[in-house]
Amino acid sequence: MSAPHRTPQDAADFPTDLDGAARTDPSRTGPPRSGPARSAAARPAPRPRSRWAGPAWGLFGVLVTVAVWWAFTHAAAGASTMIAAFRPERMPGAVASLFERGVVVQDGLTSLWRLLCGLGVATGLGVPLGLLIGSYRRFRWTSAPVVQFLRMVSPLSWAPVAVALLGVGNAPVIFLVAAAAVWPITMNTAAGVAALDPLHLRVAETLGATPAERLRTVVLPSIRPFVMTGVRLAWGSRGWSSSRPRCWGSAAAWATRSSTPATGWPTTRCSW
């Protein structure tokens, strides 16, 4: 009579004496098995990070920057009063004098208002233009030469045109900020429309959504991160870089109100 056949499942359910001996006798066991669980157990626990580590390293970077600034201004100043005026030990007194004259808050609010107005105009123009470029291929092909050419024009190059057409004041500065910020917003909006999943539009169309409803419920929510990225790039790289024309506008206003011709670069108070 032959012995009953044992399946692998029976062997797992009913361990043999050899298995029991291997569990009880350490000398008969092999090396520790390697695996995710064993490696995770052998890995030391990570050390808890202090919440002050980030601010401490940031403060260290500021101190290093001030030290390099101090060393450079003292080493390179020599007989130059221009470089000596930028020494870091003179900064507290200069900042205090600005607050005493009351120009910091006023100029800061004026510059912030101009920048926000310029970004609003750029967003109002860049988002629709980006939707058209990203949605319609023929419009993208038709507008590509003009858009690419205008993108390459420096925003500061529009300063004489802005002053000639809009005069001095807030209008030319808002125009220059909008001219600098409209292209990052436009390109990021077009990229967001191009990255939109066509299946989402097909599902909305199958459910009977009108083009306006598809735009409101599918397209705009999907491209929102792209638009915000464009606004952030416009604020950081183009918006603040257009602060130089504010001084140009102040210089033009000074030259216009002056009774004598301007023979050099006028020294005027600029709103940064």
Side-chain angles (χ1 to χ4, degrees):
M1 185 174 182
S2 59
H5 177 69
R6 298 184 64 184
T7 62
Q9 183 66 28
D10 297 334
D13 295 339
F14 302 94
T16 61
D17 296 338
L18 183 60
D19 298 331
R23 287 195 298 268
T24 56
D25 189 2
S27 63
R28 302 184 65 177
T29 58
R33 298 179 181 178
S34 61
R38 186 60 60 88
S39 61
R43 187 183 304 121
R47 298 177 57 184
R49 295 183 179 179
S50 175
R51 63 176 182 175
W52 301 106
W57 279 106
L59 179 61
F60 175 74
V62 172
L63 294 178
V64 170
T65 303
V66 173
V68 173
W69 178 14
W70 180 88
F72 173 77
T73 52
H74 282 74
S80 176
T81 58
M82 178 68 69
I83 299 179
F86 286 93
R87 290 175 177 174
E89 60 267 21
R90 298 189 178 184
M91 183 181 65
V95 173
S97 65
L98 289 177
F99 278 99
E100 289 177 0
R101 288 186 295 169
V103 300
V104 175
V105 177
Q106 178 184 356
D107 292 351
L109 292 177
T110 301
S111 299
L112 182 61
W113 182 79
R114 292 172 176 176
L115 184 59
L116 291 177
C117 290
L119 286 176
V121 174
T123 304
L125 295 177
V127 172
L129 183 59
L131 289 173
L132 292 175
I133 293 175
S135 301
Y136 301 101
R137 185 179 305 174
R138 293 181 180 178
F139 183 83
R140 179 168 63 250
W141 292 343
T142 305
S143 61
V146 179
V147 170
Q148 297 300 330
F149 173 76
L150 293 177
R151 283 182 60 202
M152 297 299 105
V153 177
S154 173
L156 301 181
S157 301
W158 295 101
V161 179
V163 174
L165 296 179
L166 303 175
V168 295
N170 294 329
V173 179
I174 294 174
F175 170 80
L176 292 175
V177 172
V182 66
W183 302 120
I185 299 175
T186 300
M187 294 295 102
N188 279 274
T189 303
V193 176
L196 185 63
D197 192 351
L199 294 179
H200 295 169
L201 296 176
R202 294 178 184 175
V203 170
E205 185 177 0
T206 303
L207 295 176
T210 61
E213 292 175 345
R214 293 198 298 267
L215 175 65
R216 188 181 71 254
T217 60
V218 178
V219 178
L220 292 181
S222 300
I223 68 173
R224 188 181 305 165
F226 292 87
V227 176
M228 296 306 299
T229 301
V231 173
R232 184 183 61 185
L233 292 175
W235 175 278
S237 61
R238 296 299 183 94
W240 290 112
S241 66
S242 300
S243 58
R244 197 177 306 171
R246 303 173 202 174
C247 291
W248 290 6
S250 301
W254 182 88
T256 303
R257 291 193 297 265
S258 179
S259 57
T260 58
T263 57
W265 189 262
T267 304
T268 59
R269 180 170 59 87
C270 307
S271 60
W272 292 96

